[in-house]
Amino acid sequence: MTDAGLFGPDSITWRVHREPIVSVGGLRSLYLQALHPRAVAGVEQNSRYRQDPWGRLARTSTYVTTVIYGTTEEAQRAGAQVRRIHARMTAVDRRTGERFRIDDPELLRWVHVTEVESFLTAARRGGLRLTPAEADEYYGEQTRTAALVGLDPATVPDSVAAVEKYYAQMRPSLELTVDSAATGLFLTMPPLPYGLGLTPVRGAVFAVSALAIGLLPAWARKLYGLPALPAADRIASVNTLVLGRLLRSVPIEWIESPARKRAMERLGLR
């Protein structure tokens, strides 16, 4: 029997991640993650993302698509590699001087929830129609990816209501630190290779960053010192819907990841 991996073509996960606009959701999640003082300190002290932002982006994208579309063995192998890397990393909380582990479950859970919630938010506001039950099912499916990085699935929010409750619990511990501000600025104006920073590509990249920021919850924009007005949400929703429909008109075969292409061939769907 052909291995469909952790999810398979009938899953809500495949429906969500078929939407090209989930990439904007991925960027949105980084802005959210940076508001957790320890999460952002861990990245700043252990990552070379400033020296190689596009390489890091490519590696993260490969991991996500492998977990979603790869075989069960490929997904488990990718998760094991992430666990090995995290297990040997520590960082220092700049506020207290305390050293902490990068694989602290609280940090892993924050990264996981912000990522999957951002993917789902971008897909839905980009035009993907899901029922409330299907949105809950997506979160339930994604507890499998949480397990790959070492989390107990029972401790991971598995529904829309559970994610909202989790955010409400986490908000008092979030703040804009020096690291958060620096990361947010870098995400908004990253260096571009091959002299592209002097071309219209710079404007396009900035527009995507602005859209990702616009999709943030009002409380997150407020932490960044940005307007949290209802009008901003409406504008972001309209822009995301337009972009989502535009991207959906592009043949998926033109922009699909190698992992999805292999999965489609493996399962005889192409």
Side-chain angles (χ1 to χ4, degrees), residues 1-8 14 63 65-80 83 144-145 148 263 266-267:
M1 183 176 179
T2 304
D3 181 6
L6 296 184
F7 305 105
W14 272 44
Y63 173 80
T65 56
T66 297
V67 167
I68 292 170
Y69 297 114
T71 64
T72 302
E73 181 183 356
E74 288 170 342
Q76 291 176 341
R77 188 163 61 242
R83 293 197 304 275
R144 302 169 204 168
T145 66
L148 290 178
R266 184 176 73 248
L267 297 173

Side-chain angles (χ1 to χ4, degrees), residues 23 26-27 29-31 33-34 38-65 82 85-86 89 102 107-108 110-112 114-115 119 149 183 186-187 190-191 193:
S23 296
L27 180 58
S29 74
L30 298 180
Y31 283 104
Q33 290 164 20
R38 288 199 169 190
V40 72
V43 172
E44 287 287 339
Q45 295 173 41
N46 286 279
S47 173
R48 295 184 64 256
Y49 79 93
R50 290 183 182 277
Q51 290 74 37
D52 184 26
W54 302 105
R56 179 181 172 85
L57 176 63
R59 290 188 292 274
T60 299
S61 178
T62 296
Y63 173 80
V64 171
T65 56
V82 168
I85 293 172
H86 287 169
M89 288 182 174
I102 299 301
L107 301 185
L108 296 178
W110 175 248
V111 171
H112 170 81
T114 54
E115 187 174 76
F119 287 149
V149 298
T183 298
F186 186 87
L187 292 172

Side-chain angles (χ1 to χ4, degrees), residues 1 12-13 21 30 44 47 60 67 71 81 90 93 121 143 148 179 193 218 223 226 233 238 248 258 265:
M1 183 176 179
I12 303 300
T13 292
I21 203 164
L30 298 180
E44 287 287 339
S47 173
T60 299
V67 167
T71 64
Q81 182 179 11
T90 62
D93 188 327
T121 293
T143 61
L148 290 178
D179 285 341
L223 282 174
L226 300 171
D233 287 319
V238 170
R248 201 176 298 115
E265 294 172 347

Side-chain angles (χ1 to χ4, degrees), residues 4 84 131 200 224 266:
R84 284 194 299 271
T131 66
Y224 274 111
R266 184 176 73 248

Side-chain angles (χ1 to χ4, degrees), residues 19 34 38 41 44 58 61 64 73 75 88 92 99 125 150 173 180-181 198 200 227 232 254 259 270:
E19 300 294 313
R38 288 199 169 190
E44 287 287 339
S61 178
V64 171
E73 181 183 356
R88 58 176 183 260
V92 174
R99 182 166 291 279
R125 292 174 73 173
S173 63
S180 304
L198 301 176
W254 293 6
R270 179 172 298 161

Side-chain angles (χ1 to χ4, degrees), residues 121-132:
T121 293
R124 297 182 84 179
R125 292 174 73 173
L128 178 64
R129 295 183 178 180
L130 294 177
T131 66

Side-chain angles (χ1 to χ4, degrees), residues 195-250:
L196 292 175
L198 301 176
T199 72
V201 172
R202 167 61 70 193
V205 171
F206 181 79
V208 172
S209 298
L211 182 58
I213 292 170
L215 287 175
L216 289 171
W219 53 263
R221 294 201 307 274
K222 188 175 181 180
L223 282 174
Y224 274 111
L226 300 171
L229 303 174
D233 287 319
R234 289 193 292 271
I235 292 171
S237 292
V238 170
N239 290 339
T240 305
L241 183 59
V242 171
L243 180 59
R245 288 176 174 172
L246 177 63
L247 292 174
R248 201 176 298 115
S249 69
V250 178

